[in-house]
């Protein structure tokens, strides 16, 4: 790619065959700005949603089914955040956060993950459009950061050794950038060994993980460094590293008047009338923070 152009709103994958490892990198810029522009989130919530969207892009871009969808949801009890939802479909990202502004104001400037989510749960759902298959994992939101919570998710739900690094924040010029690194060890399935055992003592995974830990968040979030260059910086001494096709990312809220009308038309007429005020049903979209007015008359067959 042109090294003079900021490398933003892309995800790339790579594999290290000799080390039985695979990884992905993502960096978001204008996409994050566009999503945040629909809301007036305070900095803490901005950073949280930025990291969550980077994680969503990392995982969603692994989908081989072009029509597949990944949804990540955090539900909480007694935390600052009530609900956080992000999803990925066909390279399009969207997300929002519901939170208690009073609790946020009463807490520290940099609240912990527990302060944000309380006794929360992280759920990740993979929907395959072609086969109709759905896979969902739900685990407690454990860890000091969202990165650690994601690692715990893969450790508990898939028993695959994983490393997740996430970062989001505003640069000196005020632009918001979110970035992420995701690595997994692909167990060889040695006879008689538990897959979890590879997390503890497998030298190949330790090697890949140790090198990844040398990358600073400044490098990861620097739009001036192409993602392919980051892969080279980490693993240029490996015998073979295969870089996979990049995925371009954009903001995509699938709510529009036509789609909402189709959904409302499935409700019985009596229920539609109960929803309406002065002959109009107002449908709110939490993702894009818009209200779509739909006239009852337009729903009649």
């Amino acid at each position: 790619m042109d090294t003079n152009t900021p490398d933003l709103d892309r995800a790339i994958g790579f594999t290290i065959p000799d080390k039985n490892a695979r990884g992905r990198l993502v960096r978001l810029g204008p996409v994050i700005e566009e999503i945040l522009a629909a809301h007036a989130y305070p900095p803490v919530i901005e950073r949280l949603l930025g990291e969550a969207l980077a994680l969503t892009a990392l995982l969603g871009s692994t989908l081989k089914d072009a029509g597949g969808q990944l949804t990540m949801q955090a539900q909480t009890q007694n935390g600052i955040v009530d609900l956080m939802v992000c999803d990925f479909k066909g390279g399009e990202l969207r997300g929002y956060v519901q939170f208690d502004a009073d609790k946020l104001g009463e807490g520290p400037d940099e609240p912990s993950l527990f302060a944000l989510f309380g006794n929360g749960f992280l759920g990740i759902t993979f929907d395959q459009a072609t086969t109709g298959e759905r896979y969902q994992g739900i685990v407690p939101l454990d860890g000091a950061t969202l990165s650690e919570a994601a690692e715990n998710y893969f450790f508990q739900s898939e028993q695959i050794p994983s490393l997740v690094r996430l970062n989001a924040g505003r640069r000196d010029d005020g632009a918001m950038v979110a970035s992420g690194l995701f690595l997994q060890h692909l167990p060889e399935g040695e006879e008689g060994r538990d897959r979890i055992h590879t997390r503890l003592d497998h030298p190949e995974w330790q090697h890949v993980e140790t090198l990844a830990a040398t990358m600073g968040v400044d490098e990861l979030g620097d739009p001036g460094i192409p993602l392919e260059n980051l892969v080279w910086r980490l693993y240029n001494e490996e015998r073979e590293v295969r870089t996979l096709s990049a995925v371009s990312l954009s903001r995509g809220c699938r709510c529009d008047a036509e789609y909402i009308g189709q959904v409302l038309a499935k409700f019985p007429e009596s229920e539609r009338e109960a929803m309406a005020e002065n002959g109009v049903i107002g449908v709110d979209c939490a993702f894009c923070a818009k209200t779509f007015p739909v006239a009852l008359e337009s729903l009649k067959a």
Side-chain angles (χ1 to χ4, degrees):
M1 63 171 294
D2 183 355
T3 55
N4 294 318
T5 302
D7 193 4
L8 294 165
D9 299 337
R10 282 202 318 143
I12 65 166
F14 60 93
T15 63
I16 310 172
D18 289 350
K19 297 297 186 288
N20 298 296
R22 65 184 176 191
R24 296 198 78 80
L25 284 161
V26 68
R27 193 183 293 128
L28 303 170
V31 167
I32 290 287
E33 295 279 19
E34 194 173 354
I35 290 172
L36 293 176
H39 308 275
Y41 293 139
V44 169
I45 302 301
E46 277 193 343
R47 291 194 296 271
L48 174 64
L49 183 56
E51 290 188 0
L53 286 164
L55 177 59
T56 302
L58 285 170
L59 302 183
S61 60
T62 65
L63 289 166
K64 296 180 180 179
D65 187 340
Q69 180 173 335
L70 177 136
T71 302
M72 184 174 72
Q73 182 169 317
Q75 291 186 320
T76 73
Q77 295 178 355
N78 303 319
I80 293 169
V81 174
D82 300 313
L83 177 67
M84 181 175 71
V85 182
C86 300
D87 80 12
F88 173 102
K89 185 175 183 180
E92 294 185 342
L93 287 167
R94 61 179 182 171
Y96 73 94
V97 181
Q98 291 179 356
F99 67 99
D100 188 319
D102 292 334
K103 285 185 179 180
L104 180 62
E106 295 167 358
D109 292 338
E110 298 293 336
S112 65
L113 192 74
F114 181 77
L116 285 170
F117 291 105
N119 297 313
F121 290 85
L122 179 67
I124 300 178
T125 304
F126 292 86
D127 285 299
Q128 303 290 353
T130 301
T131 62
E133 293 178 310
R134 166 177 282 200
Y135 169 76
Q136 183 179 58
I138 301 175
V139 299
L141 261 166
D142 292 332
T145 64
L146 186 59
S147 298
E148 290 185 13
E151 289 178 359
N152 289 333
Y153 170 86
F154 286 103
F155 182 69
Q156 294 182 47
S157 67
E158 297 188 5
Q159 298 181 356
I160 294 178
S162 304
L163 180 145
V164 179
R165 300 194 70 186
L166 302 169
N167 187 58
R170 294 198 175 273
R171 297 173 58 82
D172 292 341
D173 60 2
M176 186 75 173
V177 175
S179 53
L181 167 65
F182 176 42
L183 285 172
Q184 285 190 311
H185 178 55
L186 306 177
E188 299 169 285
E190 298 96 327
E191 186 175 351
R193 297 188 65 182
D194 192 306
R195 292 175 70 188
I196 293 181
H197 201 65
T198 63
R199 185 180 184 93
L200 301 178
D201 67 357
H202 202 296
E204 292 176 350
W205 172 245
Q206 291 175 349
H207 172 78
V208 171
E209 186 180 37
T210 299
L211 288 178
T214 65
M215 179 173 291
V217 293
D218 290 342
E219 289 179 284
L220 193 58
D222 187 346
I225 306 175
L227 297 177
E228 289 83 356
N229 288 17
L230 294 183
V231 178
W232 184 87
R233 287 185 183 186
L234 289 176
Y235 301 113
N236 63 84
E237 295 185 2
E238 303 302 323
R239 188 181 69 85
E240 181 183 14
V241 178
R242 300 172 185 170
T243 303
L244 309 178
S245 298
V247 176
S248 296
L249 303 167
S250 61
R251 174 190 174 273
C253 190
R254 294 183 289 280
C255 282
D256 58 43
E258 181 179 358
Y259 171 75
I260 291 171
Q262 292 172 355
V263 173
L264 290 175
K266 298 176 182 179
F267 285 84
E269 185 174 353
S270 58
E271 292 186 21
R272 296 200 300 262
E273 290 177 351
M275 299 178 199
E277 184 175 346
N278 297 322
V280 176
I281 302 174
V283 180
D284 296 326
C285 174
F287 289 103
C288 60
K290 292 181 180 179
T291 299
F292 294 86
V294 181
L296 280 177
E297 288 293 326
S298 68
L299 299 175
K300 291 184 178 180

